[in-house]
Every structure is written in C-alpha cells, then in structure tokens.
Amino acid sequence: MAELIDQKTLAYINMYGVLGGLVSLCDNVPEARKILGQSGCSIGFAVKDGPKATLTFIGGRCLIKEGVEDCEIRLPFSSPAKFNGMINGTVTPVPTKGITHLPFLLGKFKKLTNLLETYLRPTDEAMKDEEFYRASTAVMFRVIVNAVAQIANHDKIGQFSASNIVDGAILMEIKDFQKAVLIAKDGRLAFSQKVPKTVMSYMQFADVKTARDLFDGKINSVAAVGTGAVRIGGMISQIDNVNRILSRVELYLR
C-alpha cells in the first residue's frame, strides 16, 4: 500500500508530527532536558513545495513554529521526498546557513532525535517501565493528533473528510493526563495544545493504557466506544470525520 502514501502529506506529518514530537519529548523526558542543558539553538527546515518550520531549543525546552526566517541553522530540501529521506535516515542535508552551529546539529540535536525514536518505537522491555510507558504515550499522543491535522489538510482522502467538519474546536484527551485540540475552520484542521473554554465535541480516552492500546492497534476504537473506554460527545459528526482521518494515520506512521 506504499503507493497510497503522498510524499507531501508525509513531509507535513514528519515536520509537525514527528519532529514536533520533540516538544513533548522535552516536556516529559528528563533525559532530553539533560541533553540540552542550558544551550540553545534554532534549526529551520525548508522543504520546496512542502512545509517550512523552525525548531527552537531554549532552556531545556523545544518550540516549533512555521517559517524559517529566524533560524540559526537552515537545512534546505529540494522536495518532500528528500525531507522524508532525512527522517528515515537515507538523506543527509547540507546546511546553507549556520555552519558554526554544526556541533549542536550533529551533537545534541542528533542525540535528541535518537532519543525520540526510542520513545516512538519502544522495545517491549522499555515499556515495562511505567515512567517510560507514560512518557512514550504522551509523545505518541502529540504525534498522532498532529498527524490527524496534517492528513486532513494535505491527504486527498483526508481533505474530503475535513471538508465535512463544521467549524469549531474538537478536544482530544487522555483523561487526567494529556490534552490537545483540533481547530476546524473552512475545511482544515489546526493542532493546538491550548484548550479553549468551549469545545464543540470531544474524544476522551479513559486512561493511559486505553490510549496506548489504541495507538498500538491492540484494541478497536469502535469497540472501545461501546465499552466506555473511549467517550465521545458533542457534535458527533465532527468526531465521525476525525475518526475517518485517524484511520489513515497508521498508513503514514507505520
């Protein structure tokens, strides 16, 4: 089914979902903050005909924003496929700005992305540790919800589902653990960690284990709604269409 993967959509998922996972990694994993220490740097990824965004590392945290105007290191990519190649380790980009910051790029940033991979593709042994299990699920939650937004905006099938979502906020939540919002507007979805006072619909996982089992494909989302392990409410048509988009996430993130 590889032919069904759109490289441009995958590039947006890799940018805002996978690399965006560094935001959650730094928030939830002390080792990530230890790697960064007090040093800081901003890395811009400029993909021709694709996403352009900057990761800023400061004070042990990671921030991501659109555009590469203010970055200290600039990494250009001639196509979405080339950027995706960097993510899977088959392409090595050459900076066009910030050569003096290469030690950060090749040192701390590489260590962080290696650490991120251990949380996104954990071993069975690592998942036996409760702290790791929770942190891994927190990182996965951000990656997956962000992937939903990117598929809604760039994947043709996702775009059709998104076009049927009425404007408003959709809360995605792991009860008493993680929250994120998908803001629907004009047939597009935007990811946000800031939850507004009013949402139109919600999908709530009962606990961390339920969320993790769904992420890992161990339980079925429809069945989970039936048992109450997943609660939905509000404007159900929003949730139905989000679920359709969510079903395509595995295609891109497997």
PDB file of all heavy atoms in Angstrom, residues 13 18 23 38 43 49 56 72 78-79 103 177 202 227 232 237 244:
ATOM      1  N   ILE A  13       3.549  15.601   8.032  1.00  0.00           N
ATOM      2  CA  ILE A  13       3.455  14.778   9.251  1.00  0.00           C
ATOM      3  C   ILE A  13       4.825  14.673   9.912  1.00  0.00           C
ATOM      4  O   ILE A  13       4.945  14.794  11.137  1.00  0.00           O
ATOM      5  CB  ILE A  13       2.905  13.378   8.905  1.00  0.00           C
ATOM      6  CG1 ILE A  13       1.454  13.467   8.474  1.00  0.00           C
ATOM      7  CG2 ILE A  13       3.047  12.439  10.105  1.00  0.00           C
ATOM      8  CD1 ILE A  13       0.892  12.173   7.923  1.00  0.00           C
ATOM      9  N   VAL A  18       6.206  14.245  13.710  1.00  0.00           N
ATOM     10  CA  VAL A  18       7.378  13.533  14.220  1.00  0.00           C
ATOM     11  C   VAL A  18       8.388  14.491  14.857  1.00  0.00           C
ATOM     12  O   VAL A  18       8.710  14.359  16.047  1.00  0.00           O
ATOM     13  CB  VAL A  18       8.031  12.694  13.103  1.00  0.00           C
ATOM     14  CG1 VAL A  18       9.299  12.027  13.624  1.00  0.00           C
ATOM     15  CG2 VAL A  18       7.050  11.635  12.591  1.00  0.00           C
ATOM     16  N   VAL A  23       8.871  18.447  21.025  1.00  0.00           N
ATOM     17  CA  VAL A  23       8.269  19.349  22.014  1.00  0.00           C
ATOM     18  C   VAL A  23       7.818  18.540  23.222  1.00  0.00           C
ATOM     19  O   VAL A  23       8.137  18.869  24.369  1.00  0.00           O
ATOM     20  CB  VAL A  23       7.071  20.110  21.399  1.00  0.00           C
ATOM     21  CG1 VAL A  23       6.373  20.953  22.466  1.00  0.00           C
ATOM     22  CG2 VAL A  23       7.534  20.983  20.234  1.00  0.00           C
ATOM     23  N   GLN A  38      21.767  23.948  29.205  1.00  0.00           N
ATOM     24  CA  GLN A  38      21.432  25.368  29.069  1.00  0.00           C
ATOM     25  C   GLN A  38      21.695  25.908  27.676  1.00  0.00           C
ATOM     26  O   GLN A  38      21.483  27.092  27.406  1.00  0.00           O
ATOM     27  CB  GLN A  38      22.232  26.184  30.099  1.00  0.00           C
ATOM     28  CG  GLN A  38      21.884  25.861  31.539  1.00  0.00           C
ATOM     29  CD  GLN A  38      20.409  26.033  31.837  1.00  0.00           C
ATOM     30  OE1 GLN A  38      19.825  27.065  31.535  1.00  0.00           O
ATOM     31  NE2 GLN A  38      19.787  24.998  32.429  1.00  0.00           N
ATOM     32  N   ILE A  43      16.755  25.553  14.531  1.00  0.00           N
ATOM     33  CA  ILE A  43      17.029  24.847  13.278  1.00  0.00           C
ATOM     34  C   ILE A  43      15.827  24.988  12.362  1.00  0.00           C
ATOM     35  O   ILE A  43      14.714  24.598  12.716  1.00  0.00           O
ATOM     36  CB  ILE A  43      17.307  23.349  13.532  1.00  0.00           C
ATOM     37  CG1 ILE A  43      18.426  23.178  14.561  1.00  0.00           C
ATOM     38  CG2 ILE A  43      17.667  22.638  12.230  1.00  0.00           C
ATOM     39  CD1 ILE A  43      18.614  21.737  15.019  1.00  0.00           C
ATOM     40  N   ASP A  49       8.112  23.160  -2.049  1.00  0.00           N
ATOM     41  CA  ASP A  49       6.766  22.628  -2.284  1.00  0.00           C
ATOM     42  C   ASP A  49       6.266  21.804  -1.094  1.00  0.00           C
ATOM     43  O   ASP A  49       5.509  20.842  -1.270  1.00  0.00           O
ATOM     44  CB  ASP A  49       6.720  21.771  -3.562  1.00  0.00           C
ATOM     45  CG  ASP A  49       7.101  22.555  -4.809  1.00  0.00           C
ATOM     46  OD1 ASP A  49       6.723  23.730  -4.900  1.00  0.00           O
ATOM     47  OD2 ASP A  49       7.788  21.978  -5.676  1.00  0.00           O
ATOM     48  N   THR A  56      13.050  25.487  17.833  1.00  0.00           N
ATOM     49  CA  THR A  56      13.889  26.304  18.701  1.00  0.00           C
ATOM     50  C   THR A  56      14.074  25.590  20.027  1.00  0.00           C
ATOM     51  O   THR A  56      13.091  25.203  20.687  1.00  0.00           O
ATOM     52  CB  THR A  56      13.261  27.681  18.942  1.00  0.00           C
ATOM     53  OG1 THR A  56      13.136  28.367  17.688  1.00  0.00           O
ATOM     54  CG2 THR A  56      14.133  28.519  19.876  1.00  0.00           C
ATOM     55  N   GLU A  72      18.847  29.803  13.159  1.00  0.00           N
ATOM     56  CA  GLU A  72      20.311  29.927  13.186  1.00  0.00           C
ATOM     57  C   GLU A  72      20.973  28.909  12.255  1.00  0.00           C
ATOM     58  O   GLU A  72      22.049  29.160  11.722  1.00  0.00           O
ATOM     59  CB  GLU A  72      20.803  29.726  14.619  1.00  0.00           C
ATOM     60  CG  GLU A  72      20.365  30.840  15.564  1.00  0.00           C
ATOM     61  CD  GLU A  72      20.654  30.510  17.014  1.00  0.00           C
ATOM     62  OE1 GLU A  72      19.966  29.642  17.582  1.00  0.00           O
ATOM     63  OE2 GLU A  72      21.575  31.136  17.577  1.00  0.00           O
ATOM     64  N   SER A  78      15.134  19.767  -1.484  1.00  0.00           N
ATOM     65  CA  SER A  78      14.635  20.059  -2.827  1.00  0.00           C
ATOM     66  C   SER A  78      13.247  19.485  -3.092  1.00  0.00           C
ATOM     67  O   SER A  78      12.618  19.837  -4.090  1.00  0.00           O
ATOM     68  CB  SER A  78      15.615  19.521  -3.879  1.00  0.00           C
ATOM     69  OG  SER A  78      15.791  18.119  -3.735  1.00  0.00           O
ATOM     70  N   SER A  79      12.773  18.631  -2.218  1.00  0.00           N
ATOM     71  CA  SER A  79      11.445  18.036  -2.395  1.00  0.00           C
ATOM     72  C   SER A  79      10.976  17.428  -1.080  1.00  0.00           C
ATOM     73  O   SER A  79      11.794  17.158  -0.193  1.00  0.00           O
ATOM     74  CB  SER A  79      11.486  16.940  -3.466  1.00  0.00           C
ATOM     75  OG  SER A  79      12.243  15.829  -2.992  1.00  0.00           O
ATOM     76  N   PRO A 103      28.162  21.842  15.503  1.00  0.00           N
ATOM     77  CA  PRO A 103      28.315  20.973  16.683  1.00  0.00           C
ATOM     78  C   PRO A 103      26.989  20.681  17.389  1.00  0.00           C
ATOM     79  O   PRO A 103      26.774  19.574  17.878  1.00  0.00           O
ATOM     80  CB  PRO A 103      29.272  21.769  17.577  1.00  0.00           C
ATOM     81  CG  PRO A 103      30.092  22.558  16.602  1.00  0.00           C
ATOM     82  CD  PRO A 103      29.125  22.959  15.530  1.00  0.00           C
ATOM     83  N   PHE A 177      -4.402  13.297  31.948  1.00  0.00           N
ATOM     84  CA  PHE A 177      -3.009  13.108  31.503  1.00  0.00           C
ATOM     85  C   PHE A 177      -2.589  14.071  30.392  1.00  0.00           C
ATOM     86  O   PHE A 177      -1.716  14.903  30.604  1.00  0.00           O
ATOM     87  CB  PHE A 177      -2.808  11.657  31.054  1.00  0.00           C
ATOM     88  CG  PHE A 177      -1.388  11.302  30.691  1.00  0.00           C
ATOM     89  CD1 PHE A 177      -0.354  11.527  31.578  1.00  0.00           C
ATOM     90  CD2 PHE A 177      -1.099  10.743  29.459  1.00  0.00           C
ATOM     91  CE1 PHE A 177       0.961  11.208  31.245  1.00  0.00           C
ATOM     92  CE2 PHE A 177       0.204  10.414  29.105  1.00  0.00           C
ATOM     93  CZ  PHE A 177       1.227  10.648  30.012  1.00  0.00           C
ATOM     94  N   TYR A 202     -15.827  16.133  21.667  1.00  0.00           N
ATOM     95  CA  TYR A 202     -14.649  15.608  22.353  1.00  0.00           C
ATOM     96  C   TYR A 202     -14.527  14.106  22.156  1.00  0.00           C
ATOM     97  O   TYR A 202     -15.518  13.395  21.939  1.00  0.00           O
ATOM     98  CB  TYR A 202     -14.693  15.938  23.846  1.00  0.00           C
ATOM     99  CG  TYR A 202     -15.823  15.261  24.598  1.00  0.00           C
ATOM    100  CD1 TYR A 202     -15.680  13.970  25.126  1.00  0.00           C
ATOM    101  CD2 TYR A 202     -17.052  15.904  24.779  1.00  0.00           C
ATOM    102  CE1 TYR A 202     -16.720  13.357  25.813  1.00  0.00           C
ATOM    103  CE2 TYR A 202     -18.092  15.298  25.461  1.00  0.00           C
ATOM    104  CZ  TYR A 202     -17.919  14.022  25.977  1.00  0.00           C
ATOM    105  OH  TYR A 202     -18.950  13.401  26.641  1.00  0.00           O
ATOM    106  N   THR A 227     -17.597  -0.041  24.998  1.00  0.00           N
ATOM    107  CA  THR A 227     -17.331  -0.441  26.387  1.00  0.00           C
ATOM    108  C   THR A 227     -17.180   0.751  27.320  1.00  0.00           C
ATOM    109  O   THR A 227     -17.093   0.588  28.537  1.00  0.00           O
ATOM    110  CB  THR A 227     -16.048  -1.284  26.478  1.00  0.00           C
ATOM    111  OG1 THR A 227     -14.923  -0.482  26.049  1.00  0.00           O
ATOM    112  CG2 THR A 227     -16.138  -2.526  25.602  1.00  0.00           C
ATOM    113  N   ILE A 232     -17.135   9.751  23.732  1.00  0.00           N
ATOM    114  CA  ILE A 232     -17.278  10.800  22.733  1.00  0.00           C
ATOM    115  C   ILE A 232     -18.530  11.591  23.057  1.00  0.00           C
ATOM    116  O   ILE A 232     -19.470  11.091  23.682  1.00  0.00           O
ATOM    117  CB  ILE A 232     -17.363  10.237  21.301  1.00  0.00           C
ATOM    118  CG1 ILE A 232     -18.564   9.290  21.149  1.00  0.00           C
ATOM    119  CG2 ILE A 232     -16.074   9.535  20.924  1.00  0.00           C
ATOM    120  CD1 ILE A 232     -18.778   8.797  19.721  1.00  0.00           C
ATOM    121  N   SER A 237     -20.909  14.393  14.440  1.00  0.00           N
ATOM    122  CA  SER A 237     -20.441  14.408  13.045  1.00  0.00           C
ATOM    123  C   SER A 237     -18.982  14.848  12.963  1.00  0.00           C
ATOM    124  O   SER A 237     -18.232  14.377  12.102  1.00  0.00           O
ATOM    125  CB  SER A 237     -21.314  15.336  12.194  1.00  0.00           C
ATOM    126  OG  SER A 237     -21.195  16.686  12.619  1.00  0.00           O
ATOM    127  N   ARG A 244     -12.441   9.054  10.757  1.00  0.00           N
ATOM    128  CA  ARG A 244     -12.085   8.618   9.404  1.00  0.00           C
ATOM    129  C   ARG A 244     -10.654   9.038   9.061  1.00  0.00           C
ATOM    130  O   ARG A 244      -9.903   8.293   8.444  1.00  0.00           O
ATOM    131  CB  ARG A 244     -13.073   9.188   8.384  1.00  0.00           C
ATOM    132  CG  ARG A 244     -14.467   8.596   8.494  1.00  0.00           C
ATOM    133  CD  ARG A 244     -15.354   9.051   7.354  1.00  0.00           C
ATOM    134  NE  ARG A 244     -16.685   8.463   7.480  1.00  0.00           N
ATOM    135  CZ  ARG A 244     -17.725   9.071   8.035  1.00  0.00           C
ATOM    136  NH1 ARG A 244     -17.579  10.295   8.530  1.00  0.00           N
ATOM    137  NH2 ARG A 244     -18.894   8.465   8.112  1.00  0.00           N
TER     138      ARG A 244
END
